[in-house]
Amino acid sequence: MSTLTLGRVKHADGTARPRRNVDYVRVGLWLALAVTMLIWAMPLIFVIFTSLKSEAAIFSTSSFSLPTSAEWSNYAEALETGNLFTAGGNSLLIAAIKVPLGLLFSAAAAFGLSRIRFKHSKLVLGAFALGSMVPIQVALGPLFKIILDLGLLNSPVGVILPYIGFGLPIQIFILHGFFSAIPKEIDESVRVDGGGNWRLFWQIILPLSKPALAALFILDFVSTWNEYAIALVILQDQGAQTIPLAIQGFQSQFTSSYGPLNAFTIMSILPVMIVYLLFQRYFVEGMFSGAVKG
Amino acid sequence: MSKLTATRLETPPGPVTRHPSKKPLLKRIAGGGFIAALPFLAPALAAYVVFVIGPMVTAVRLSLFEWSGFNADPQVFVGFKNYVRLFTADPVFWTAMQNTIVWVLLSLVIPTSLGLVMALALNRPIFGRNLFRSVFYIPGVLAPIAIANMWRWMYNPNYGVFSELAKAWHIGDGSGVTFLSDPKVAIYAIFAAFVWQIAGLNMVLFLAGLQSVSKELVESARLDGANSWKVFRHVTFPALRPTVVVVLVLTIVHSIKVFDLVVGMTGGGPAQSSQVLALWSYSQSFLQHDFGMGNAVATVLLAITLVLVIPYLIWSTKGNED
């Protein structure tokens, strides 16, 4: 397939590098990539295969063999026993509140740090940046105590608050970079028109930063959806569980029902996969805008 | 890295007290200064101080106490007793420490270079490029706890992929493999899942960095007769240096935080052989109800993080002036 296209390219541009060995290198490279990709896809493929096999088929056929008939009962069973709807509802509720609210906090702080001049603003930014690097697990014990004292154990609010705190640093860092790149002359013109900081923030800076905000929104949704450690400590009742806790709960409860277990895994990662496929662009952009500028 | 240039080089006009300003007071506040920035900073600062900085300080404080974690029980001040116990009488702590260090060192090499190779290979128009990128990157968006379960299933000694391969290729004694229940191998088996998880993330970062490599420079080096290796060595890699730093720092941060994967695959076993610091801290606090020891481990973890990360923070705030 690719060899054909490469061959065509070779004939098409007789000027560039028509040396034959270049093509072999390219074909070799492509094959190496294809093999690596297959290896990379294997865990997912293997889990999907298993989720569609009956117990008998799992025990008797090779892991690599295709499922002969789709065993959807695995999915039904996983749904029935796995607390998936409750956990999914909890995860959605938490993400729906945490993500926009956290992003608003981050954007406001990044604005204050990048467009308003004051002494030691760099120090404040550095203090925020530091938070993105410290492991959450350092704070688990004390967090548990705070949430316990607030009476918020097993409540969505009990995880939303720490999630907002721990989500701020990286977002402030990225948005600060983004806001700083917007020309300062705009601020002057807004102020000449008699507008204050709020107007600058709401009507100029935020609309101009839509791409970065969208990217961060998506990335933050995914990391909120996936978070395990804080949820593990705060949400101890089954009714309060989020998806990652449900996965682990299902796995420890039904250790050897491999079909439903893998069906459960598939269903639990499906929302994130769909979000990724729909918003692929943002994942890359989010990382580009934040991470790498010389 | 997005530059940490908060201010221009001239000193910002803070709230002026030394000489009477010509501007009316309101104007001054609206124009700048901490007072004007405060409403924007307040919500974030409050959440950050209460739920991030506060708990970290509390963790250090609690490491000097003996406490079960139950509010009904008293917190008894014991000074450095927990640390003495940790360093002299807790072999699991040293296992966890060793595993964490090995994990950091391995991940500085394997998933980073893998990500770089993937990025270099995909930094040109190539058939199926987007599919390649997606497949490499997708593991990075899945919940680590789900990844743990996927890999646990792959390592299943009876029906897992690796056992099947070992049987098919007659590796070992033909009875398959038991990676996760082997104390010598378990931590590396978990590490393999980690490589799968983050190599694609590094690839995306490197691809972003490669955008900043000047095409003209590469072309002219080629015209001067430089081979691919020379171009990479003298043109591409120097331009990638900031990206490399970011990737290495992020890798260290990811490695120190490893928790979900270990919980989901071995729970730290067999016989605590795959413990890591983050999990050992959690286990002491929440499973053994020993908040003193748990927070002592947390404090050690915090100290290690700060030692590794603060130099980078100082470098990035200082060295990136516009």
Side-chain angles (χ1 to χ4, degrees), chain A residues 60-285:
Chain A
S60 61
T61 62
S62 152
S63 337
F64 297 100
S65 63
L66 280 160
T68 42
S69 61
E71 191 70 39
W72 294 110
S73 65
N74 286 335
Y75 284 81
E77 198 176 321
L79 277 177
E80 232 164 273
T81 48
N83 198 22
L84 196 72
F85 284 117
T86 314
N90 291 334
S91 280
L92 260 182
L93 174 73
I94 288 165
I97 299 173
K98 189 271 151 176
V99 179
L101 201 60
L103 198 53
L104 183 64
F105 282 17
S106 301
F111 175 85
L113 289 168
S114 64
R115 314 302 282 195
I116 304 175
R117 285 190 187 165
F118 60 93
K119 268 201 181 101
H120 306 306
S121 64
K122 255 192 178 177
L123 205 64
V124 179
L125 184 66
F128 273 121
L130 190 63
S132 69
M133 316 213 164
V134 177
I136 286 177
Q137 290 84 4
V138 170
L140 283 183
L143 269 180
F144 169 78
K145 182 164 171 30
I146 294 173
I147 302 299
L148 176 72
D149 293 343
L150 289 172
L152 291 171
L153 284 188
N154 294 315
S155 131
V157 181
V159 284
I160 287 171
L161 293 172
Y163 281 3
I164 287 179
F166 277 93
L168 291 167
I170 188 72
Q171 293 185 343
I172 290 179
F173 202 70
I174 290 176
L175 287 175
H176 181 275
F178 203 87
F179 292 172
S180 298
I182 299 171
K184 293 272 191 280
E185 288 76 30
I186 292 181
D187 301 28
E188 297 308 316
S189 63
V190 169
R191 294 210 168 97
V192 165
D193 287 350
N197 284 327
W198 291 102
R199 200 173 126 195
L200 178 67
F201 177 60
W202 284 113
Q203 296 185 351
I204 313 285
I205 302 290
L206 283 189
L208 280 176
S209 312
K210 266 198 195 122
L213 291 169
L216 284 177
F217 190 95
I218 300 295
L219 285 173
D220 195 41
F221 172 82
V222 170
S223 48
T224 305
W225 186 270
N226 291 342
E227 203 284 332
Y228 179 73
I230 291 179
L232 176 68
V233 169
I234 307 293
L235 307 173
Q236 300 172 349
D237 289 354
Q238 205 180 8
Q241 279 186 340
T242 53
I243 289 278
L245 296 175
I247 297 176
Q248 193 53 15
F250 196 88
Q251 132 93 29
S252 48
Q253 231 179 320
F254 304 97
T255 314
S256 54
S257 33
Y258 299 121
L261 190 59
N262 282 287
F264 194 88
T265 306
I266 295 292
M267 286 189 286
S268 70
I269 60 179
L270 214 52
V272 167
M273 296 276 272
I274 291 168
V275 166
Y276 171 75
L277 292 172
L278 286 177
F279 301 103
Q280 244 187 88
R281 214 160 49 86
Y282 290 128
F283 280 87
V284 178
E285 268 174 25

Side-chain angles (χ1 to χ4, degrees), chain B residues 122-308:
Chain B
L122 292 174
N123 194 36
R124 62 195 75 190
I126 190 167
F127 178 78
R129 179 164 66 168
N130 285 346
L131 180 67
F132 284 130
R133 277 189 193 182
S134 284
V135 171
F136 292 146
Y137 181 69
I138 273 186
V141 304
L142 305 180
I145 201 78
I147 292 176
N149 276 297
M150 292 163 79
W151 280 72
R152 193 183 170 129
W153 171 232
M154 297 199 350
Y155 284 129
N156 184 295
N158 302 313
Y159 314 107
V161 175
F162 293 106
S163 266
E164 197 129 329
L165 285 177
K167 284 178 200 160
W169 296 340
H170 304 291
I171 298 169
D173 57 3
S175 63
V177 286
T178 51
F179 288 145
L180 290 182
S181 49
D182 182 339
K184 283 198 210 56
V185 186
I187 189 77
Y188 300 102
I190 306 170
F191 183 76
F194 181 73
V195 172
W196 186 72
Q197 185 196 342
I198 70 160
L201 221 62
N202 292 334
M203 173 196 73
V204 171
L205 289 170
F206 280 124
L207 278 170
L210 284 168
Q211 306 305 307
S212 68
V213 178
S214 140
K215 300 247 186 316
E216 291 79 24
L217 221 52
V218 173
E219 273 310 304
S220 66
R222 280 206 185 286
L223 289 174
D224 290 346
N227 60 22
S228 298
W229 167 247
K230 279 221 167 90
V231 170
F232 175 74
R233 171 97 185 60
H234 297 290
V235 180
T236 313
F237 196 74
L240 269 185
R241 201 161 288 156
T243 314
V244 172
V245 173
V246 172
V247 168
L248 292 181
V249 170
L250 283 178
T251 300
I252 292 174
V253 170
H254 277 303
S255 308
I256 295 174
K257 284 181 182 173
V258 162
F259 178 84
D260 308 17
L261 282 180
V262 183
V263 172
M265 285 169 82
T266 63
Q272 310 289 19
S273 63
S274 61
Q275 271 295 354
V276 289
L277 286 175
L279 179 55
W280 190 229
S281 168
Y282 167 85
S283 309
Q284 297 259 40
S285 288
F286 291 96
L287 306 178
Q288 304 175 17
H289 299 293
D290 189 341
F291 264 58
M293 288 296 269
N295 283 294
V297 180
T299 306
V300 171
L301 191 59
L302 179 64
I304 293 174
T305 310
L306 295 182
V307 165
L308 288 173

